[in-house]
Amino acid sequence: MAEITLETLGHRYAPGLPYALRPFSMTWQDGGTYALLGPSGCGKSTMLNIISGLLRPSDGRVLFDGVDVTERDTGKRNIAQVFQVPVIYRSMTVAENLGFPLVCRGVPAARIRRRVDSIAERLGLARHLKRPAHALSADQKQLVSLGRGLVREDVAAILLDEPLTVIDPQLKFELRRILKEINEEFRLTTVLVTHDQTEAMTFAKEVIVMNLGEVVQAGAPRALFERPATEHVGWFIGSPAMNFLPARQESGRVTVPGTTLSAAAPEGLGEGRLSLGFRPEHARVVSESPQVAGQVERIWFEGSDEVVALRAEALTLRVRLPGGRVLATGDRLGISVPPENLLIYRDGRLVA
Amino acid sequence: MKHTSYLALKYLVVLAWSAFVVFPFLWMLSTSFKSANGVTGGATWLPWLQYEPSTAGWSALFGGPGGVNILRPYLNSVIVTLSASALSLVLGTLAAYGLSRFTFRAGPVRNGDITFFFISQRIMPPIVLAIPFFLMLKTLGLLDTLTGLILVYIALLLPIAVWVMVDFFNSVPRGLDEMAWMDGCTPVVTFLRVILPNAMPGLVVAGMFCLIFGWNDFFFAFTLTFTKVQLLPVSIVALNSSVTPWWALSAAAIVSVAPLAVLAFVVERFLSRGGLAGAVR
């Protein structure tokens, strides 16, 4: 287990090329759970490969417990990784797979057996120990991969690279639960890479949102939800995506034209493209003096909630309303948003 | 009913094909026990069965009248084929792993070019190589020796081994190497314990190619040896004289085909029994 520090870490695949990962600094606490969230090609895998040592960063340093490991080979970093596509040693049995990291480290056979037995027991693989590993199902293979990390008592970190992508939906839920349980039990530094916001938000204590090679925001799931640092985060996290309405600065306030949605402009707001953002969840239906009034364009039924697309002249916005309402497309609807939930963005970045 | 006739048809086809394949061997076997009369005279009623058995053909193989002793050439062939194949396989597998996993650069030359360079050695007709090989072995004082032949065969078999193995290593996912490194494996252990078992079928295929080529080669065995060392194909040809000794040639053909036939049989069993099950995706 280790605390992982990334110091102005960045990577370009060749000098002169744009950054695949723009330099940033961050510390991941020992035993913490982190999620790297972002669309494909955003630099998540680059970051993971740098941490595991498969890739040498062009900029910055990686430290494990304060020790610089930037130039250290993968094999000496004591990292475990669960890949997107289950990777196992096909020519070995399940037990041999689990014990392999210890074999590589020259641990005595008797100790390997004890350790493998206890981990297999914990992961529910005890029945399968004698079976050839290739005969396992995809989710069991992922557990074996995880197990290869867990058998090492001193493993620095476990990296999960979209481990649930190829798992059947029903098993996915189960495997996610096991991953979380194991993590709480073993208190390992765990980094989950995913493009699934639910997966990231439910698993990690801290979510790192990435886009186009840049770390756009890192924080607790709630903070990301309540105060997205950029329009991209607001759009990427939450379902439906956050509303961003083009706004203008007028006499000390930022206002959305054609509505009375407005927020006090902070000092020194400066020039730029302004927008007001709010979560669909934060809108309230009001019958008198609504801030925005419009026509119901579409309704998505989501169990206890209904998501409504509201059209007010040139604007389209989405609101999440408690279900049980008798709404039809074409109905008039007025909404208000509490002032504390209205956020001002300039050029796509949160200012207030 | 339909099922039965389908089955009958299936067996008929298989039977016909088997007869087609096996027949030459049976013919060889019967001819090897015939005398000159039996071969040329032909049978009155039952072809291939009605003749007077003779062991002349077989005795000719072991230094009998009109023959040569093939025991020594046979042993030579075994030594040369096995050692050249084994060395080619070892060197070829190592080279192929390197070419599959690491990036080499020498000016404009890349991994693909190096792989092609290996294969290109087999593009030209063998006769082109005969004189250079002859001169090289002469300079080294290795003409007419087993060592010289082994070296030449390695040069000929290595491209095959590299070619086959590069393909097989490329089909083994790179994630496997990376995982092994993360598990703390050294590159050598990764290669031996993780990647090689996954390339087992490739090793068998490359090994078969090497053995078949090495065992059957006549041309280089003929040009690079004279009197001291002789390989089996050369000594079989030496059986020939003004009167073609069909009986002796047949017996020789049988003994020279036998090891490969047995090998093919064993490998086929091994493959179908699942000796390699799970080694490939």
Side-chain angles (χ1 to χ4, degrees):
Chain A
M1 282 164 280
E3 177 190 88
I4 300 178
T5 309
L6 310 173
E7 224 178 65
T8 59
L9 186 72
H11 187 68
R12 282 193 267 219
Y13 281 97
L17 283 184
Y19 277 107
L21 182 64
R22 278 194 238 161
F24 72 101
S25 295
M26 192 172 284
T27 298
W28 293 339
Q29 282 160 16
D30 186 4
T33 50
Y34 298 86
L36 298 178
L37 178 64
S40 346
C42 70
K44 294 172 296 188
S45 301
T46 304
M47 196 198 280
L48 219 56
N49 286 343
I50 290 173
I51 293 164
S52 61
L54 296 174
L55 191 66
R56 294 272 182 278
S58 61
D59 299 50
R61 303 198 299 164
V62 179
L63 300 110
F64 286 3
D65 285 331
V67 181
D68 188 345
V69 296
T70 319
E71 295 301 319
R72 198 182 282 181
D73 283 336
T74 303
K76 302 222 169 69
R77 293 197 189 193
N78 206 358
I79 287 268
Q81 184 162 345
V82 180
F83 293 88
Q84 187 171 348
V85 179
V87 187
I88 41 129
Y89 303 120
R90 298 180 60 87
S91 49
M92 304 182 194
T93 65
V94 173
E96 285 167 340
N97 259 273
L98 288 171
F100 196 61
L102 300 180
V103 172
C104 288
R105 286 175 170 72
V107 173
R111 243 184 76 199
I112 295 178
R113 208 171 314 121
R114 272 204 306 280
R115 194 71 194 147
V116 165
D117 284 346
S118 87
I119 295 297
E121 187 64 44
R122 179 62 196 86
L123 293 174
L125 293 169
R127 288 185 298 123
H128 305 295
L129 279 176
K130 296 268 182 296
R131 289 177 68 188
H134 65 83
L136 294 181
S137 61
D139 58 311
Q140 289 169 329
K141 285 180 186 169
Q142 292 299 56
L143 285 178
V144 170
S145 290
L146 180 69
R148 278 198 312 263
L150 299 177
V151 287
R152 297 176 249 165
E153 278 151 300
D154 58 342
V155 69
I158 295 197
L159 311 177
L160 308 168
D161 189 357
E162 309 200 16
L164 303 176
T165 313
V166 296
I167 309 298
D168 290 341
Q170 319 91 290
L171 294 171
K172 201 177 258 194
F173 189 80
E174 177 69 8
L175 193 57
R176 194 186 294 165
R177 183 185 63 74
I178 297 178
L179 284 179
K180 183 132 181 87
E181 263 180 35
I182 294 283
N183 189 261
E184 278 161 9
E185 194 178 314
F186 286 74
R187 296 250 151 253
L188 297 166
T189 313
T190 314
V191 183
L192 171 73
V193 165
T194 178
H195 54 247
D196 181 336
Q197 50 161 319
T198 320
E199 216 168 281
M201 306 281 255
T202 52
F203 181 80
K205 196 183 72 177
E206 197 176 319
V207 177
I208 296 124
V209 184
M210 302 187 65
N211 188 35
L212 300 171
E214 190 187 10
V215 174
V216 268
Q217 189 171 9
R222 179 166 291 279
L224 295 184
F225 185 79
E226 301 279 349
R227 292 182 69 80
T230 67
E231 286 186 7
H232 174 265
V233 177
W235 169 80
F236 199 74
I237 288 177
S239 171
M242 195 162 160
N243 294 298
F244 292 98
L245 307 174
R248 270 207 302 262
Q249 197 174 354
E250 278 169 358
S251 54
R253 295 191 71 77
V254 175
T255 313
V256 178
T259 72
T260 54
L261 285 171
S262 81
E267 269 180 54
L269 179 58
E271 294 296 304
R273 184 177 60 79
L274 289 176
S275 57
L276 271 187
F278 67 91
R279 285 275 174 204
E281 287 80 358
H282 291 144
R284 304 269 169 277
V285 174
V286 288
S287 46
E288 276 170 40
S289 58
Q291 288 175 312
V292 195
Q295 247 181 355
V296 174
E297 202 174 54
R298 273 188 81 177
I299 302 168
W300 291 271
F301 175 69
E302 287 195 0
S304 60
D305 285 356
E306 274 168 26
V307 174
V308 174
L310 200 62
R311 182 145 194 96
E313 290 169 33
L315 301 173
T316 304
L317 39 99
R318 280 157 215 261
V319 291
R320 182 182 280 277
L321 305 170
R325 233 166 249 281
V326 192
L327 274 177
T329 50
D331 285 1
R332 299 285 301 171
L333 196 65
I335 59 150
S336 286
V337 182
E340 69 271 19
N341 293 131
L342 272 176
L343 305 174
I344 302 173
Y345 289 80
R346 194 191 65 220
D347 292 329
R349 289 184 182 267
L350 180 68
V351 269
Chain B
M1 189 59 213
K2 196 180 165 202
H3 182 74
T4 325
S5 55
Y6 170 71
L7 207 68
L9 189 73
K10 204 161 79 174
Y11 272 95
L12 207 69
V13 170
V14 172
L15 223 65
W17 181 249
S18 308
F20 183 72
V21 172
V22 174
F23 185 71
F25 290 95
L26 291 179
W27 199 349
M28 252 161 39
L29 194 66
S30 75
T31 307
S32 74
F33 285 106
K34 285 175 182 174
S35 59
N37 266 342
V39 174
T40 51
T44 326
W45 302 110
L46 287 169
W48 308 302
L49 287 180
Q50 192 191 23
Y51 59 87
E52 237 176 86
S54 137
T55 53
W58 289 91
S59 73
L61 291 189
F62 302 99
V68 288
N69 193 343
I70 64 149
L71 269 180
R72 187 64 221 175
Y74 205 93
L75 194 64
N76 286 344
S77 262
V78 169
I79 292 169
V80 170
T81 306
L82 283 185
S83 21
S85 296
L87 284 168
S88 300
L89 223 49
V90 171
L91 293 173
T93 303
L94 291 171
Y97 182 66
L99 285 168
S100 160
R101 288 304 197 262
F102 305 107
T103 311
F104 296 98
R105 263 180 212 164
V109 177
R110 298 280 186 278
N111 285 34
D113 305 313
I114 303 172
T115 311
F116 179 75
F117 171 77
F118 272 106
I119 306 161
S120 70
Q121 304 305 302
R122 298 309 309 270
I123 290 177
M124 50 196 141
I127 189 102
V128 175
L129 295 170
I131 294 167
F133 275 147
F134 188 91
L135 294 178
M136 277 192 262
L137 290 193
K138 187 170 180 247
T139 316
L140 293 169
L142 291 173
L143 271 179
D144 210 8
T145 64
L146 286 180
T147 319
L149 280 176
I150 290 171
L151 288 177
V152 166
Y153 281 151
I154 288 174
L156 295 167
L157 299 181
L158 195 58
I160 302 175
V162 171
W163 193 23
V164 171
M165 292 314 288
V166 164
D167 232 36
F168 270 91
F169 283 135
N170 283 342
S171 72
V172 176
R174 227 164 227 273
L176 214 54
D177 303 58
E178 293 176 354
M179 192 173 71
W181 297 339
M182 279 185 211
D183 281 346
C185 255
T186 58
V188 176
V189 177
T190 302
F191 170 69
L192 289 177
R193 298 230 16 210
V194 178
I195 306 302
L196 205 54
N198 281 279
M200 228 24 198
L203 220 54
V204 172
V205 170
M208 280 295 284
F209 270 132
C210 288
L211 289 176
I212 290 171
F213 178 86
W215 185 257
N216 286 342
D217 175 70
F218 168 76
F219 180 70
F220 291 102
F222 181 66
T223 45
L224 302 174
T225 57
F226 315 111
T227 49
K228 275 186 278 166
V229 171
Q230 213 175 32
L231 294 194
L232 184 62
V234 178
S235 66
I236 290 177
V237 171
L239 281 171
N240 217 341
S241 60
S242 52
V243 179
T244 309
W246 295 111
W247 42 96
L249 286 178
S250 292
I254 286 168
V255 290
S256 77
V257 158
L260 290 185
V262 169
L263 187 72
F265 193 71
V266 169
V267 167
E268 198 276 331
R269 275 296 140 106
F270 179 57
L271 288 168
S272 64
R273 211 189 42 222
L276 296 168
V280 269
R281 263 172 198 270

